[in-house]
């Protein structure tokens, strides 16, 4: 799954650790999502969308 998490995080001047704290996940989870090694759960995707005040589709995109 493609995502814009790294770009959005940079725009907010957040480190991976800071974003992880806001999302209640580990920094390693944020890194894995940003690099495409891990797809977030639906609740985590919604949480990120609320945090960035964007629709989920503006953050995460199916690669098909």
């Amino acid at each position: 799954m493609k995502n814009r998490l790294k770009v959005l995080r940079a725009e907010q001047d957040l480190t991976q650790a800071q974003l992880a704290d806001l999302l209640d996940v580990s920094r390693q989870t944020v890194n894995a999502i940003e690099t495409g090694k891990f797809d977030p759960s639906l609740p985590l995707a919604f949480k990120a969308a609320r945090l960035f005040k964007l629709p989920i589709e503006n953050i995460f995109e199916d690669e098909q």
Side-chain angles (χ1 to χ4, degrees):
M1 176 180 299
K2 292 182 183 179
N3 69 77
R4 297 182 51 228
L5 206 58
K6 186 174 183 176
V7 171
L8 295 169
R9 178 176 60 76
E11 288 174 356
Q12 297 292 317
D13 200 30
L14 295 170
T15 66
Q16 286 184 343
Q18 290 169 325
L19 179 58
D21 286 343
L22 292 170
L23 296 175
D24 293 320
V25 297
S26 70
R27 185 200 59 78
Q28 289 85 355
T29 298
V30 170
N31 180 269
I33 294 169
E34 286 184 355
T35 58
K37 295 177 182 165
F38 176 75
D39 290 336
S41 65
L42 193 53
L44 181 54
F46 272 110
K47 198 171 198 176
R50 282 193 300 272
L51 177 69
F52 292 110
K53 297 181 174 84
L54 292 170
I56 288 177
E57 298 85 5
N58 287 11
I59 302 173
F60 302 99
E61 180 183 330
D62 190 12
E63 290 185 281
Q64 292 182 0

